[in-house]
Amino acid sequence: MTPELMIKACSFYTGHLVKTHFCTWRDIARTNENVALAEKMNRAVTCYNFRLQKSVFHHWHSYMEDQKEKLKNTLLRIQRIIYCHKLSIILTKWRNRARLKSKKKEDELILKHELQLKKWKNRLILKRATAEESNFPEQSSSEGSLVDETLKCDISLLPERAILQIFFYLSLKDVIICGQVNHAWMLMTQLNSLWNAIDFSTVKNVIPDKYILSTLQRWRLNVLRLNFHGCLLRPKTFRSVSHCRNLQELNVSDCPTFTDESMRHISEGCPGVLYLNLSNTTITNRTMRLLPRHFHNLQNLSLAYCRGFTDKGLQYLNLGNGCHKLIYLDLSGCTQITDSAMEMLSAKCHYLHILDISGCVLLTDQILEDLQIGCKQLRILKMQYCTNISKKAAQRMSSKVQQQEYNSNDPPHWFGYDREGDPLTELDNVTPSKGASELTVEKSTYSSEEQVA
């Protein structure tokens, strides 16, 4: 064998050996790689399943926590309802017992005072009988003893309800005088219910502004009704009304010093006013703008003889929430009002029951048509001295309302203006025309039968 053949044989053998072992190694490597991939795939599937289970469990856990929280809140609400129900039962029983006890006590006091009053009357009759039989000196001594006997009847021992009923018959001046008798009477005049309604019009020339300020400041939480009719007060006094937060009725008619600024303070402090009387005051469109802004529950409004506002001011009542709950509206003597303002007003005030437009000489038959369309609940309509409203239109309107007052004559001279709404001169006031002197306020209630006839 030659060396060349030996080299070729060795090369072939080596190549064959390498090829054989490389294929074996490659097969083993591929087998190991497949096993590793399978293990990795198994681990990935296991991890994915675990994460999926974890996510599902998390959602389930959150859902269960929410359900537990809802159940807990429900139980708390049920417990609170049961507790409130128990409290209401306890309070009802306590209130019934307290009322029974109070009524029993009042009955005992009333019976005691009736017996005391009966005994006092018997003694008084007996004293009078003995006084008539005795001489004059003896009569004077018996009168002194009678005075002593009357002192035994103490009004302060009466029940609070009876005391209030007695003091309700007194004027504000008399209540003030009674409070100066003694300490017991002063305590009786300081009952809270006695100051729910204060009428300053009866003492407008007696009590100064300083006392009115102190009274309103002291009873500001108890005052529900105030009457300043005809009072000549300072603007500061009217501003003090704004402290009466629970005020429901206010009458400032015929108050010459009442202005728009006073109304601004009152409207901001007393939003719960239901009855408002501004008759014959100097208010303007500023006040008319304030009414719908603050008095959303206003039911009764009187603007009679207020000639400082215009049609635009009357239209302000429809702004925003407006005075849409008005039941009573008095515009008598407002000669500046025209059909355009009343048309917008009737379109919003659907609950209006009573309307007074007497003396509004510029209104025509058109207003009656607007009222029939917008104010379907109108019951009482007053149209005295409405010269531009025809009798035929009034007859048609009478079938829509329960009561109607109509008169097409010229306004009387004491109204201060003629049929066109112009002020009367001094000559007209001194020598009124024959027709004006014979005018009378006539109530004409037209029935549907008369209309058909």
Side-chain angles (χ1 to χ4, degrees):
M1 181 180 291
T2 63
E4 293 179 358
L5 291 175
M6 189 67 181
I7 293 172
K8 287 182 178 182
C10 290
S11 298
F12 176 77
Y13 177 76
T14 303
H16 178 74
L17 185 64
V18 169
K19 182 179 180 180
T20 303
H21 284 80
F22 175 76
C23 292
T24 305
W25 171 82
R26 186 180 60 185
D27 294 338
I28 294 171
R30 286 181 178 177
T31 303
N32 293 334
E33 185 178 357
N34 292 334
V35 172
L37 288 175
E39 290 179 356
K40 287 182 179 181
M41 192 65 184
N42 291 333
R43 287 198 298 269
V45 171
T46 304
C47 181
Y48 173 76
N49 292 333
F50 177 76
R51 292 181 64 182
L52 184 61
Q53 291 177 359
K54 184 178 180 181
S55 177
V56 172
F57 178 77
H58 177 72
H59 287 293
W60 175 82
H61 181 72
S62 301
Y63 173 77
M64 293 304 297
E65 289 293 331
D66 293 339
Q67 292 297 322
K68 287 181 180 179
E69 190 68 23
K70 290 181 180 179
L71 182 61
K72 185 178 180 181
N73 294 333
T74 304
L75 291 175
L76 289 176
R77 290 179 61 186
I78 293 174
Q79 291 177 357
R80 195 179 297 111
I81 292 172
I82 295 173
Y83 179 72
C84 292
H85 182 66
K86 288 182 179 179
L87 284 180
S88 63
I89 294 174
I90 294 172
L91 288 175
T92 303
K93 291 183 178 179
W94 172 83
R95 183 181 59 186
N96 294 334
R97 289 185 181 180
R99 286 180 177 177
L100 183 62
K101 188 175 180 181
S102 177
K103 185 177 180 181
K104 185 177 179 181
K105 186 177 180 181
E106 288 185 359
D107 293 340
E108 291 178 355
L109 286 174
I110 291 174
L111 180 61
K112 179 180 177 181
H113 283 282
E114 286 179 353
L115 295 175
Q116 185 179 0
L117 184 61
K118 188 175 181 181
K119 184 187 293 185
W120 175 76
K121 287 182 178 180
N122 293 331
R123 288 184 181 179
L124 185 61
I125 293 172
L126 182 62
K127 292 291 183 180
R128 286 180 179 176
T130 55
E132 291 177 356
E133 296 176 357
S134 61
N135 295 329
F136 291 101
E138 296 177 356
Q139 184 177 1
S140 61
S141 62
S142 64
E143 289 177 354
S145 62
L146 282 174
V147 172
D148 296 336
E149 291 293 334
T150 56
L151 292 176
K152 294 181 180 179
C153 186
D154 190 1
I155 190 176
S156 62
L157 299 178
L158 291 173
E160 181 178 336
R161 186 173 58 184
I163 295 174
L164 287 174
Q165 192 64 30
I166 293 172
F167 278 95
F168 279 152
Y169 290 103
L170 303 180
S171 63
L172 181 61
K173 181 180 178 181
D174 296 332
V175 172
I176 295 172
I177 295 174
C178 291
Q180 298 174 354
V181 174
N182 53 37
H183 183 70
W185 282 58
M186 182 187 69
L187 294 178
M188 286 189 294
T189 58
Q190 292 180 356
L191 296 174
N192 294 335
S193 301
L194 190 62
W195 298 93
N196 287 342
I198 306 178
D199 187 2
F200 290 108
S201 62
T202 58
V203 290
K204 55 187 175 183
N205 298 323
V206 180
I207 297 180
D209 289 17
K210 182 179 180 181
Y211 178 79
I212 296 177
L213 286 170
S214 61
T215 302
L216 294 178
Q217 180 65 26
R218 180 173 184 178
W219 304 105
R220 61 186 183 276
L221 298 179
N222 302 99
V223 175
L224 300 178
R225 297 179 291 276
L226 283 176
N227 186 3
F228 292 104
H229 173 72
C231 295
L232 185 62
L233 304 176
R234 295 179 299 174
K236 181 180 178 181
T237 306
F238 284 120
R239 287 198 298 268
S240 64
V241 179
S242 61
H243 299 298
C244 304
R245 302 291 182 180
N246 300 321
L247 188 65
Q248 296 180 0
E249 297 183 10
L250 177 63
N251 185 357
V252 291
S253 58
D254 297 326
C255 294
T257 57
F258 188 82
T259 60
D260 294 332
E261 189 65 20
S262 304
M263 192 67 228
R264 183 180 68 83
H265 290 282
I266 294 174
S267 61
E268 291 176 356
C270 309
V273 173
L274 301 177
Y275 172 88
L276 183 60
N277 191 344
L278 302 174
S279 302
N280 199 19
T281 55
T282 60
I283 62 169
T284 63
N285 289 347
R286 288 182 57 193
T287 295
M288 301 300 291
R289 186 188 290 268
L290 293 172
L291 296 182
R293 186 179 301 173
H294 299 281
F295 300 142
H296 297 160
N297 297 320
L298 189 63
Q299 297 180 358
N300 294 266
L301 177 62
S302 178
L303 301 171
Y305 301 98
C306 295
R307 298 168 188 170
F309 65 91
T310 61
D311 285 351
K312 186 176 181 180
L314 193 60
Q315 293 173 2
Y316 284 150
L317 295 180
N318 299 328
L319 296 179
N321 293 327
C323 302
H324 300 161
K325 297 182 181 180
L326 277 178
I327 298 176
Y328 172 87
L329 180 60
D330 187 0
L331 297 173
S332 57
C334 298
T335 57
Q336 73 278 14
I337 300 301
T338 62
D339 292 343
S340 60
M342 292 300 299
E343 180 183 1
M344 295 192 64
L345 185 66
S346 60
K348 296 294 183 180
C349 298
H350 302 296
Y351 302 101
L352 196 63
H353 289 175
I354 303 173
L355 177 62
D356 190 352
I357 53 175
S358 300
C360 297
V361 294
L362 299 181
L363 297 181
T364 63
D365 296 347
Q366 181 63 35
I367 178 60
L368 300 184
E369 298 179 3
D370 297 334
L371 290 176
Q372 292 180 19
I373 297 173
C375 303
K376 296 184 180 299
Q377 299 188 19
L378 191 63
R379 299 292 180 266
I380 300 176
L381 179 60
K382 299 180 181 180
M383 300 182 293
Q384 299 288 348
Y385 309 112
C386 293
T387 56
N388 290 326
I389 297 179
S390 63
K391 185 177 181 180
K392 186 176 181 180
Q395 288 178 346
R396 289 196 302 267
M397 189 65 189
S398 63
S399 62
K400 305 295 182 180
V401 296
Q402 295 179 357
Q403 180 181 348
Q404 176 175 292
E405 299 178 9
Y406 170 71
N407 190 337
S408 61
N409 296 331
D410 294 343
H413 66 277
W414 44 268
F415 268 43
Y417 55 89
D418 57 13
R419 63 182 295 115
E420 301 297 334
D422 299 326
L424 295 176
T425 61
E426 294 182 359
L427 181 60
D428 295 332
N429 290 332
V430 174
T431 59
S433 62
K434 181 179 179 181
S437 61
E438 296 177 353
L439 290 178
T440 55
V441 178
E442 299 178 358
K443 292 183 179 180
S444 58
T445 305
Y446 301 105
S447 62
S448 59
E449 297 179 357
E450 295 176 348
Q451 183 179 357
V452 173

